[in-house]
Short mmCIF file of all heavy atoms in Angstrom, two decimals:
data_model
loop_
_atom_site.label_atom_id
_atom_site.label_comp_id
_atom_site.label_asym_id
_atom_site.label_seq_id
_atom_site.Cartn_x
_atom_site.Cartn_y
_atom_site.Cartn_z
N GLY G 104 79.65 94.43 101.10
CA GLY G 104 80.35 93.19 101.44
C GLY G 104 79.41 92.02 101.59
O GLY G 104 79.68 90.92 101.12
N LEU G 105 78.29 92.25 102.26
CA LEU G 105 77.29 91.19 102.42
C LEU G 105 76.77 90.74 101.07
O LEU G 105 76.66 89.53 100.81
CB LEU G 105 76.14 91.69 103.30
CG LEU G 105 74.98 90.72 103.53
CD1 LEU G 105 75.46 89.49 104.30
CD2 LEU G 105 73.85 91.43 104.28
N ALA G 106 76.47 91.68 100.19
CA ALA G 106 75.96 91.34 98.86
C ALA G 106 77.00 90.60 98.02
O ALA G 106 76.70 89.58 97.39
CB ALA G 106 75.50 92.60 98.13
N ALA G 107 78.24 91.09 98.03
CA ALA G 107 79.28 90.47 97.20
C ALA G 107 79.64 89.08 97.70
O ALA G 107 79.67 88.11 96.92
CB ALA G 107 80.51 91.36 97.17
N TYR G 108 79.93 88.97 98.97
CA TYR G 108 80.31 87.67 99.52
C TYR G 108 79.12 86.72 99.54
O TYR G 108 79.27 85.52 99.33
CB TYR G 108 80.93 87.84 100.92
CG TYR G 108 82.36 88.29 100.88
CD1 TYR G 108 82.72 89.55 100.40
CD2 TYR G 108 83.38 87.46 101.31
CE1 TYR G 108 84.05 89.96 100.36
CE2 TYR G 108 84.71 87.85 101.28
CZ TYR G 108 85.03 89.11 100.80
OH TYR G 108 86.35 89.52 100.76
N GLY G 109 77.93 87.26 99.77
CA GLY G 109 76.73 86.44 99.73
C GLY G 109 76.47 85.89 98.34
O GLY G 109 76.11 84.72 98.18
N THR G 110 76.66 86.71 97.32
CA THR G 110 76.48 86.25 95.95
C THR G 110 77.42 85.09 95.65
O THR G 110 77.01 84.05 95.12
CB THR G 110 76.72 87.41 94.95
OG1 THR G 110 75.78 88.44 95.21
CG2 THR G 110 76.61 86.93 93.52
N TYR G 111 78.66 85.25 96.01
CA TYR G 111 79.66 84.21 95.78
C TYR G 111 79.29 82.92 96.52
O TYR G 111 79.22 81.84 95.93
CB TYR G 111 81.04 84.71 96.22
CG TYR G 111 82.10 83.65 96.23
CD1 TYR G 111 82.71 83.23 95.05
CD2 TYR G 111 82.50 83.05 97.42
CE1 TYR G 111 83.67 82.25 95.05
CE2 TYR G 111 83.47 82.06 97.43
CZ TYR G 111 84.06 81.67 96.25
OH TYR G 111 85.02 80.68 96.26
N ASP G 112 79.06 83.04 97.80
CA ASP G 112 78.86 81.84 98.62
C ASP G 112 77.52 81.16 98.37
O ASP G 112 77.44 79.93 98.31
CB ASP G 112 78.99 82.19 100.11
CG ASP G 112 80.45 82.32 100.51
OD1 ASP G 112 81.16 81.31 100.44
OD2 ASP G 112 80.87 83.42 100.89
N ILE G 113 76.47 81.93 98.22
CA ILE G 113 75.16 81.32 97.98
C ILE G 113 75.11 80.68 96.60
O ILE G 113 74.53 79.60 96.42
CB ILE G 113 74.04 82.35 98.19
CG1 ILE G 113 73.97 82.72 99.68
CG2 ILE G 113 72.69 81.81 97.71
CD1 ILE G 113 73.08 83.90 100.00
N THR G 114 75.76 81.30 95.62
CA THR G 114 75.85 80.68 94.30
C THR G 114 76.61 79.36 94.38
O THR G 114 76.19 78.35 93.81
CB THR G 114 76.52 81.63 93.28
OG1 THR G 114 75.73 82.80 93.18
CG2 THR G 114 76.67 80.98 91.92
N ASN G 115 77.73 79.36 95.10
CA ASN G 115 78.48 78.12 95.27
C ASN G 115 77.66 77.06 95.99
O ASN G 115 77.67 75.88 95.60
CB ASN G 115 79.79 78.36 96.02
CG ASN G 115 80.82 79.05 95.16
OD1 ASN G 115 80.71 79.09 93.93
ND2 ASN G 115 81.82 79.62 95.79
N LEU G 116 76.94 77.46 97.01
CA LEU G 116 76.11 76.52 97.75
C LEU G 116 75.03 75.90 96.85
O LEU G 116 74.72 74.72 96.97
CB LEU G 116 75.46 77.21 98.95
CG LEU G 116 74.62 76.35 99.89
CD1 LEU G 116 75.48 75.28 100.56
CD2 LEU G 116 73.95 77.24 100.94
N SER G 117 74.52 76.70 95.92
CA SER G 117 73.45 76.22 95.06
C SER G 117 73.93 75.46 93.83
O SER G 117 73.14 74.78 93.18
CB SER G 117 72.55 77.38 94.63
OG SER G 117 73.22 78.22 93.72
N THR G 118 75.23 75.56 93.51
CA THR G 118 75.70 74.94 92.27
C THR G 118 76.82 73.92 92.42
O THR G 118 77.08 73.16 91.49
CB THR G 118 76.19 76.02 91.28
OG1 THR G 118 77.27 76.75 91.87
CG2 THR G 118 75.08 76.97 90.87
N LEU G 119 77.48 73.90 93.55
CA LEU G 119 78.62 73.00 93.73
C LEU G 119 78.31 71.90 94.74
O LEU G 119 77.66 72.15 95.75
CB LEU G 119 79.85 73.79 94.21
CG LEU G 119 80.36 74.89 93.28
CD1 LEU G 119 81.50 75.64 93.94
CD2 LEU G 119 80.77 74.34 91.94
N LYS G 120 78.79 70.72 94.45
CA LYS G 120 78.62 69.61 95.39
C LYS G 120 79.46 69.87 96.64
O LYS G 120 80.60 70.33 96.54
CB LYS G 120 79.10 68.29 94.77
CG LYS G 120 78.24 67.78 93.67
CD LYS G 120 78.80 66.47 93.15
CE LYS G 120 78.04 66.02 91.94
NZ LYS G 120 78.61 64.80 91.37
N ASN G 121 78.90 69.57 97.77
CA ASN G 121 79.62 69.60 99.05
C ASN G 121 80.14 70.97 99.46
O ASN G 121 81.11 71.06 100.21
CB ASN G 121 80.75 68.58 99.05
CG ASN G 121 80.25 67.18 98.79
OD1 ASN G 121 79.21 66.78 99.30
ND2 ASN G 121 80.98 66.44 97.97
N TRP G 122 79.53 72.05 98.95
CA TRP G 122 79.94 73.37 99.43
C TRP G 122 79.39 73.52 100.84
O TRP G 122 78.19 73.41 101.06
CB TRP G 122 79.41 74.48 98.53
CG TRP G 122 80.01 75.80 98.86
CD1 TRP G 122 79.49 76.76 99.67
CD2 TRP G 122 81.27 76.30 98.43
NE1 TRP G 122 80.34 77.83 99.78
CE2 TRP G 122 81.45 77.57 99.02
CE3 TRP G 122 82.29 75.80 97.61
CZ2 TRP G 122 82.58 78.34 98.81
CZ3 TRP G 122 83.40 76.59 97.41
CH2 TRP G 122 83.56 77.83 97.99
N PRO G 123 80.24 73.76 101.83
CA PRO G 123 79.77 73.76 103.23
C PRO G 123 78.89 74.97 103.57
O PRO G 123 79.30 76.11 103.39
CB PRO G 123 81.05 73.80 104.05
CG PRO G 123 82.19 73.82 103.09
CD PRO G 123 81.66 73.94 101.70
N ALA G 124 77.70 74.69 104.08
CA ALA G 124 76.79 75.76 104.47
C ALA G 124 77.39 76.62 105.58
O ALA G 124 77.18 77.84 105.62
CB ALA G 124 75.45 75.17 104.91
N SER G 125 78.16 76.00 106.47
CA SER G 125 78.78 76.78 107.55
C SER G 125 79.75 77.81 106.99
O SER G 125 79.89 78.92 107.53
CB SER G 125 79.50 75.86 108.53
OG SER G 125 80.53 75.14 107.88
N LEU G 126 80.40 77.49 105.88
CA LEU G 126 81.32 78.43 105.25
C LEU G 126 80.57 79.63 104.68
O LEU G 126 81.08 80.75 104.72
CB LEU G 126 82.14 77.73 104.16
CG LEU G 126 83.22 78.55 103.48
CD1 LEU G 126 84.24 79.04 104.50
CD2 LEU G 126 83.89 77.74 102.40
#
Side-chain angles (χ1 to χ4, degrees):
L105 178 64
Y108 281 66
T110 299
Y111 171 78
D112 282 296
I113 292 169
T114 299
N115 286 343
L116 183 63
S117 71
T118 60
L119 300 176
K120 290 181 187 177
N121 302 319
W122 190 265
S125 61
L126 185 59

